[in-house]
Amino acid sequence: MATAVPAERDAVARVLGRPGIEVIAAGVGPALAAASTATALTTAALDGAPYGLVVSAGIAGGFAPHAPVGSLVVADEITAADLGAETPDGFLPVTELGFGTVTHRPPEALVREVAAATGARPGAVLTVSTVTGTAVRAARLRERHPTALAEAMEGFGVAEAATAHRTPVLELRAISNPVGPRDRAAWRIGDALAALAEAFGKLAPVLESWQPHDR
C-alpha cells in the first residue's frame, strides 16, 4: 500500500496499477495520514487480506546540499521532528520526557534494495506538522538530526499506524524544494512527481519480491 496526496497518488498509480498493490491518498499531516493508514490496515485485516508492507510516498523538502531538488530519498529512519516540548534549555523529544517514541526504522535490507534499484539516498526523513520556512529553523532541525535528508508531513503518522498493526513500513520521497526560506518560485513539484513515478517503475519488482522476514 502506498500513501500519497492526490497528484502524487496519480503519479504512483500509473506505475503500480497492478494486483496486490493499492494506492490511497492518506491526506496532509501526520494525524490524518495515521488515521487513513490505520483505517486501511484495519479494513484489510478484517477482510482476511492484511497488507505485508506500507509505503509512504510523496514529495518533500530536501536539506541542501545533501538532497538537491529532483533527487530521491529513502528513509532509514522516520522521525517526528517536533513531537516533544520546548524548554529553556531547548527542545526535548517525547522519548527524553519519558514516554512515546519519535523514530521508526524501516527494514534495513529493504532500504538497501530500494536505494540500489532507484538511486535514492538513504537517510533520515523528518515528519513535521509545520513546514519549515526559515533558514534558522532549517539549521536547527539539521543540528538536532544530523543525518536528516528531507522533511515531509506524513511519514511518522503512517509509521505509527503500521507499527500498531505490526506491519513493516517504508518511506520514499522525491525532493521538490529546499528546506529553508519559503520560496514558491523555487518549487519543482512537476519534476519531483516525474522522479517519483520513474522511481516506482524501478521499485515495483523490489516490492513484489520482498518478504517481511527480509529484515
Side-chain angles (χ1 to χ4, degrees):
M1 179 180 66
T3 64
V5 300
E8 296 156 350
R9 176 193 60 197
D10 294 342
V12 173
R14 285 196 297 271
V15 179
L16 294 185
R18 60 186 71 194
I21 298 178
E22 181 182 356
V23 181
I24 68 170
V28 177
L32 184 53
S36 299
T37 303
T39 298
L41 286 166
T42 300
T43 300
L46 291 175
D47 288 343
Y51 291 110
L53 175 69
V54 177
V55 182
S56 180
I59 59 177
F63 286 94
H66 313 284
V69 172
S71 66
L72 295 168
V73 172
V74 58
D76 59 14
E77 68 175 61
I78 301 168
T79 294
D82 51 11
L83 182 59
E86 292 289 349
T87 76
D89 297 320
F91 178 81
L92 288 179
V94 294
T95 48
E96 294 187 28
L97 296 172
F99 56 91
T101 185
V102 294
T103 295
H104 294 283
R105 298 186 184 278
E108 292 181 8
L110 182 58
V111 171
R112 288 195 300 269
E113 291 181 27
V114 170
T118 65
R121 182 173 179 181
V125 176
L126 306 182
T127 298
V128 296
S129 295
T130 302
V131 173
T132 297
T134 67
V136 170
R137 185 170 190 251
R140 191 174 298 146
L141 284 175
R142 181 71 181 175
E143 181 180 358
R144 288 208 310 257
H145 306 281
T147 66
L149 296 181
E151 74 163 24
M153 300 183 74
E154 294 78 34
F156 184 77
V158 172
E160 286 276 85
T163 300
H165 281 262
R166 299 183 180 179
T167 304
V169 65
L170 180 76
E171 184 170 13
L172 180 67
R173 294 284 172 174
I175 304 304
S176 59
N177 58 278
V179 177
R182 188 172 175 82
D183 178 12
R184 296 197 63 171
W187 294 2
R188 296 293 181 268
I189 293 177
D191 293 343
L193 290 175
L196 188 66
E198 182 180 354
F200 267 95
K202 300 172 182 176
L203 184 61
V206 176
L207 297 182
E208 290 174 339
S209 64
W210 184 78
Q211 299 296 323
H213 56 74
D214 297 335
R215 302 286 176 154

